[in-house]
Amino acid sequence: MRTSIIKNVENPLQIKQQLATWAQQFREIIFLDSNSYPQEYSSFDCVLAVDAFTSLKTDYYNAFDDLKQYQESTKDWLFGYLSYDLKNDVEKVSSKNNDFLDFPDLFFFQPKKVFILKGNTLEIQYLNFCDDEIDYDYATILSTECPINTIVETVHVKQRISRENYLKKVIKVKDHIHRGDIYEANFCMEFFSENTAIDPLQKFLKLNSISKPPFAVYFKNHQHYILSASPERYLRKEGELIVSQPIKGTSKRFLDTTEDEESKNKLASDPKERAENIMITDLVRNDLARTAHKGSVQVTELCKIYSFLQVHQMITTITSKLDSQYAVIDVLKSTFPMGSMTGAPKISVMNIIDELEETKRGVYSGAVGYFTPNGDFDFNVVIRSILYNSASKYVSFSVGSAITSLSVPEKEYEECLLKAHAMLEVLS
């Protein structure tokens, strides 16, 4: 059981930074920020959860069954992530690539302390045995000074796959498409830095400030950090309503308003971008149908253009109504990994991209999010994100693009660099 207290705050932007800064004392932290991005489906402006009372850490084997048992037994707030390699729990696939980050495949924790900000209202929820700490903690938060970035860190970022090698690999993907093995593949490559120490909070605050995405995440589990500026929702459950919003299609932003509008309109009408979006839309529709009331799967927005500070994106919204015979976790298990990060058909694509990619994706192209006490959930897609292991001093981010029969390898490479821009700016 939790004690809940409501506080009115004068400066929501300031309290966000104070919460994130105050949280650094804890071993387990998750800070989710919607950045006031205009969206139809949203529960809060930001949420902070800290200090695990219980937790679940596991590899991919039986991971979804373990998560189901954990979620159903706690019936409380749970925060954490699903890594891409949980695909091995869902299908008969595997990965032989190296993993330099060494994150657990799945990690969730039940926090002792939760802060939920919406407008000028801050709701504080503490587990009952520690609710006598609320007043002291809140006073400490209000007196916390927001960090000033005075640290200059030298981060030498390397590219795992060279431009020449990338172009060759995209041609191999297209060969598979022309042979009829697959229709579309999301092929990714890693950027990394070794023997590097960074200040994770400072890097997150900068990444968030230059991107302002609706699904930003600062996550810490001891030495593992996720600094995410994700614009993409994987899956949301609100009552019986399930919402998926895959992104497929990207174009550049311009300072000149005329150029910017042209870039946006070109994306909206680009046959290649629309084709890749619609293919993934069909995949998501089929995935959602597995746990949906018959006839309830609907495409409510098709190929709509949304603008973010770094890029324009083409997003489709698909909804369904959850059939009551299925558990909360069944929806995640039957749709994971998300089609926007694999391609179609899923199993064939996952095998092919694992052969061509040179590192395990790990948390990248997985999902970070939460479960509410009543069994609702919301998860992002881990893209535009920096991953960091402070023990091994390894920094990593990955980018990718959808390869179809219409893809021009050089343009796909340029799209990857466009997506990498914000992370490179933050690290360099």
Side-chain angles (χ1 to χ4, degrees):
M1 296 291 290
R2 291 186 179 270
T3 298
S4 177
I5 292 177
I6 302 294
K7 301 284 187 180
N8 292 317
V9 297
E10 293 181 5
N11 189 334
L13 290 177
Q14 181 177 322
I15 200 76
K16 280 186 186 183
Q17 289 212 339
Q18 289 173 319
L19 284 167
T21 306
W22 171 81
Q24 297 311 303
Q25 64 189 288
F26 298 102
R27 178 188 170 104
E28 303 88 8
I29 308 167
I30 189 165
F31 177 81
L32 307 173
D33 191 354
S34 69
N35 285 294
S36 301
Y37 189 86
Q39 54 177 317
E40 184 176 350
Y41 306 101
S42 182
S43 300
F44 47 73
D45 296 333
C46 90
V47 62
L48 170 71
V50 297
D51 200 8
F53 175 54
T54 66
S55 65
L56 172 66
K57 179 176 76 170
T58 183
D59 61 14
Y60 64 79
Y61 184 74
N62 283 338
F64 282 103
D65 289 342
D66 291 345
L67 181 59
K68 181 178 181 179
Q69 184 178 358
Y70 185 48
Q71 187 269 328
E72 290 179 348
S73 63
T74 56
K75 288 186 169 59
D76 193 12
W77 286 101
L78 299 178
F79 295 82
Y81 66 79
L82 312 165
S83 80
Y84 177 74
D85 281 305
L86 294 190
K87 65 184 173 59
N88 304 343
D89 184 37
V90 179
E91 306 289 354
K92 291 183 179 179
V93 292
S94 62
S95 176
K96 298 171 186 173
N97 291 325
N98 290 322
D99 175 12
F100 298 102
L101 282 159
D102 195 31
F103 279 61
D105 290 337
L106 178 149
F107 179 81
F108 279 84
F109 73 98
Q110 177 190 13
K112 295 176 186 175
K113 306 176 180 186
V114 178
F115 301 80
I116 303 164
L117 180 67
K118 193 160 189 177
N120 292 87
T121 301
L122 180 68
E123 183 179 1
I124 304 172
Q125 294 187 16
Y126 277 33
L127 288 173
N128 286 353
F129 67 82
C130 62
D131 61 6
D132 58 338
E133 300 172 17
I134 290 178
D135 289 339
Y136 174 79
D137 284 350
Y138 186 61
T140 306
I141 290 164
L142 291 181
S143 64
T144 298
E145 293 187 9
C146 295
I148 299 171
N149 190 3
T150 57
I151 302 170
V152 178
E153 297 159 331
T154 303
V155 180
H156 299 290
V157 178
K158 303 175 187 176
Q159 194 169 311
R160 181 72 62 183
I161 299 174
S162 68
R163 182 181 185 277
E164 181 184 6
N165 202 14
Y166 175 88
L167 299 179
K168 289 178 181 177
K169 287 173 181 283
V170 170
I171 291 169
K172 287 182 180 179
V173 175
K174 291 190 69 176
D175 288 343
H176 281 288
I177 293 170
H178 294 144
R179 284 201 299 268
D181 301 331
I182 54 175
Y183 306 111
E184 175 182 341
N186 195 71
F187 175 60
C188 303
M189 62 173 170
E190 184 198 21
F191 292 76
F192 66 99
S193 182
E194 298 168 295
N195 299 314
T196 300
I198 62 171
D199 182 327
L201 179 61
Q202 293 284 7
K203 294 302 185 190
F204 167 74
L205 293 174
K206 184 174 180 183
L207 181 63
N208 195 34
S209 69
I210 65 173
S211 303
K212 289 188 166 50
F215 304 107
V217 176
Y218 177 90
F219 174 90
K220 173 191 174 187
N221 173 29
H222 192 31
Q223 77 263 28
H224 296 123
Y225 294 84
I226 304 168
L227 320 175
S228 179
S230 176
E232 183 172 0
R233 169 179 277 127
Y234 160 42
L235 211 60
R236 175 181 172 90
K237 176 184 178 292
E238 188 175 350
E240 64 175 8
L241 178 69
I242 305 296
V243 182
S244 181
Q245 294 182 296
I247 290 178
K248 273 284 157 272
T250 306
S251 69
K252 191 176 179 179
R253 295 298 310 262
F254 292 90
L255 292 175
D256 181 83
T257 53
T258 303
E259 274 189 293
D260 196 53
E261 193 65 22
E262 284 176 1
S263 178
K264 185 177 176 181
N265 293 335
K266 187 177 179 182
L267 174 61
S269 59
D270 189 307
K272 183 261 181 186
E273 304 283 9
R274 291 185 66 88
E276 67 181 57
N277 190 297
I278 290 167
M279 277 191 270
I280 297 308
T281 298
D282 284 341
L283 187 154
V284 173
R285 287 173 63 242
N286 289 331
D287 282 352
L288 289 181
R290 297 179 190 178
T291 56
H293 279 295
K294 190 175 180 180
S296 70
V297 180
Q298 294 184 328
V299 178
T300 58
E301 273 185 350
L302 181 64
C303 298
K304 183 173 178 180
I305 308 302
Y306 286 79
S307 297
F308 303 93
L309 291 187
Q310 300 286 336
V311 290
H312 299 295
Q313 302 273 204
M314 185 182 286
I315 303 178
T316 289
T317 301
I318 306 113
T319 63
S320 67
K321 290 186 177 179
L322 179 63
D323 190 315
S324 59
Q325 68 177 298
Y326 294 103
V328 169
I329 306 302
D330 294 336
V331 191
L332 294 164
K333 186 175 181 179
S334 62
T335 57
F336 196 85
M338 61 291 298
S340 63
M341 295 308 295
T342 59
K346 266 189 190 179
I347 298 175
S348 298
V349 166
M350 286 191 291
N351 285 324
I352 289 166
I353 58 182
D354 192 69
E355 287 179 14
L356 294 172
E357 293 175 0
E358 297 186 9
T359 45
K360 276 189 180 180
R361 292 189 181 183
V363 176
Y364 171 70
S365 70
V368 178
Y370 63 88
F371 297 94
T372 67
N374 66 358
D376 286 342
F377 60 71
D378 207 356
F379 285 87
N380 77 356
V381 178
V382 182
I383 54 175
R384 322 291 156 80
S385 303
I386 297 167
L387 306 175
Y388 176 49
N389 185 325
S390 62
S392 62
K393 295 185 177 180
Y394 189 84
V395 180
S396 169
F397 69 87
S398 295
V399 291
S401 69
I403 312 302
T404 70
S405 61
L406 298 175
S407 290
V408 177
E410 290 79 7
K411 287 188 176 180
E412 298 298 339
Y413 184 77
E414 289 170 9
E415 181 176 324
C416 287
L417 294 186
L418 175 62
K419 291 173 177 175
H421 178 78
M423 283 86 75
L424 287 170
E425 182 179 336
V426 167
L427 292 173
S428 299

